[in-house]
Amino acid sequence: MEFAESTRKKCAACFRQFNKMEHLVEHMRTSYHSVHEPACAICNKHCRSFESLREHLLGPLPKQECKNLFKILGCNFCLAILESPNALRVHQHRCRFTGVTRGTTAEPSNNLGLRDRSTVVNNGFSRGPPQALALACKMVDGGNYGSIYGCARVCIVDEYENRIFNAYVQHSNPVNNDRYESSGIRAECVRDGMTLKQVQRRIEELLCNGEAMWKIRSPKGGKAKILVGHDLHHHLQSLQIEYPPIMIRDIAKYPPLMKTSKLSNSLQYLTQTYLGYEIQTGIQDPYEDCVAMMRIYLRMRNQVHRREDYPLASDPRNRNNFALSRQSELERMSPEAMLAISRSDFYCWCLDCT
């Protein structure tokens, strides 16, 4: 029995064990382990999401050695392990807000209107034009029996949390339910707002930044901005705007932030868990939502991972990494060597910085 246990093959990433090396090779071929996956800093176990990593460290059945050390040196917001209790205290002060010391809630939006600022001066230095914009909408019910669900207010902020667009949107149908208790929107605000065409034109100007929509291909080298949001499909649908998927960063569909491979987390939960404060507790302000989404995006984008020449499993240059023709060669490799050539099956947002 002891001999059988000693010959089991263990995956270097998730520690699953296999009787035969060929079974481990098959596992590595389909698991897409990579440096871009969340991993336990104590035992180096890879997890498919931060939710599963949280369960590994803090869940109902955590790994005991990891749990004990994490209790002393771990940060509950980013699940990092620090070298000393003092380093943890310093880190926690900055960790909640992506490395920028700010208040715990977004400032209230007192004035509606438009404001552009291409360069923001903060903390004594000047920063260049932002490369990402966060968008949030608030909806009302219109039409017969509330059958038409549409955007009544839209807000956009830049990377530095400046509100650059904030407006009410007119409806061609009468508003039956303004949802004032949660949205703070009155029917008269919608009636006096901008038309949908005006809103579409202004949003496209901000996103495309002078580049033709049909020319937008990649976030690198172009003028167009990355669009950040939560469940952006419904927001863009309500605004009747199409934007290239390659330029969209949806925190509801980003694999490391999802509850499971099929189930998303709410923005309220993500803000509480990864930023450490509550939102949407009363009348919901889209500016507050935008700030939370941008902070979460920047936190994910600022992760430090090992640089890889071809980081995506879908890249044609990785096609032969686990090819069937290499089966015998792969079986002679160590689990660590196979992990080194494996790649992620999702686009990590840290690649936006490269």
Side-chain angles (χ1 to χ4, degrees), residues 262-273:
K262 303 285 186 182
L263 192 60
S264 301
N265 282 305
S266 68
L267 179 59
Q268 194 173 22
Y269 173 83
L270 291 171
T271 306
Q272 176 67 55
T273 304

Side-chain angles (χ1 to χ4, degrees), residues 125-258:
F125 63 91
S126 177
R127 292 181 284 192
Q131 297 304 309
L133 299 176
L135 178 146
C137 298
K138 292 302 174 187
M139 308 293 185
V140 294
D141 296 331
N144 296 327
Y145 308 106
S147 57
I148 300 175
Y149 182 66
C151 174
R153 186 178 174 188
V154 59
C155 180
I156 298 178
V157 304
D158 62 21
E159 289 184 15
Y160 313 127
E161 301 178 12
N162 298 299
R163 190 188 308 112
I164 60 174
F165 183 66
N166 197 5
Y168 291 114
V169 185
Q170 288 182 12
H171 271 247
S172 55
N173 298 284
V175 175
N176 290 331
N177 182 6
D178 54 24
R179 306 185 184 193
Y180 179 77
E181 295 76 13
S182 62
S183 68
I185 297 172
R186 292 293 191 191
E188 54 268 23
C189 298
V190 177
R191 186 179 60 245
D192 299 332
M194 298 174 67
T195 65
L196 183 59
K197 288 289 184 185
Q198 290 173 324
V199 171
Q200 289 171 345
R201 190 178 306 115
R202 186 63 184 135
I203 291 176
E204 288 177 1
E205 286 174 1
L206 291 169
L207 291 175
C208 297
N209 199 26
E211 188 172 359
M213 184 75 78
W214 62 272
K215 282 186 177 180
I216 298 174
R217 293 288 183 272
S218 168
K220 299 172 185 177
K223 297 179 182 178
K225 304 292 178 67
I226 290 171
L227 179 60
V228 179
H230 183 274
D231 198 16
L232 269 172
H233 169 72
H234 292 100
H235 291 186
L236 294 177
Q237 192 176 48
S238 68
L239 292 166
Q240 298 176 26
I241 293 175
E242 292 185 5
Y243 202 57
I246 195 171
M247 298 296 290
I248 289 176
R249 306 289 180 265
D250 193 332
I251 64 175
K253 297 179 180 178
Y254 185 50
L257 290 175
M258 294 178 70

Side-chain angles (χ1 to χ4, degrees), residues 96-98 102 130-136 156-162 164 207 225-230 249 251 267 271 275 277 279 286-302 349:
R96 301 172 185 232
F97 309 108
T98 61
R102 289 184 176 271
Q131 297 304 309
L133 299 176
L135 178 146
I156 298 178
V157 304
D158 62 21
E159 289 184 15
Y160 313 127
E161 301 178 12
N162 298 299
I164 60 174
L207 291 175
K225 304 292 178 67
I226 290 171
L227 179 60
V228 179
H230 183 274
R249 306 289 180 265
I251 64 175
L267 179 59
T271 306
L275 300 180
Y277 66 92
I279 62 170
Y287 172 73
E288 185 181 52
D289 293 352
C290 285
V291 168
M293 293 184 295
M294 184 58 75
R295 288 176 177 176
I296 292 170
Y297 166 70
L298 292 177
R299 156 166 271 169
M300 296 296 108
R301 192 180 76 179
N302 293 337
W349 290 348

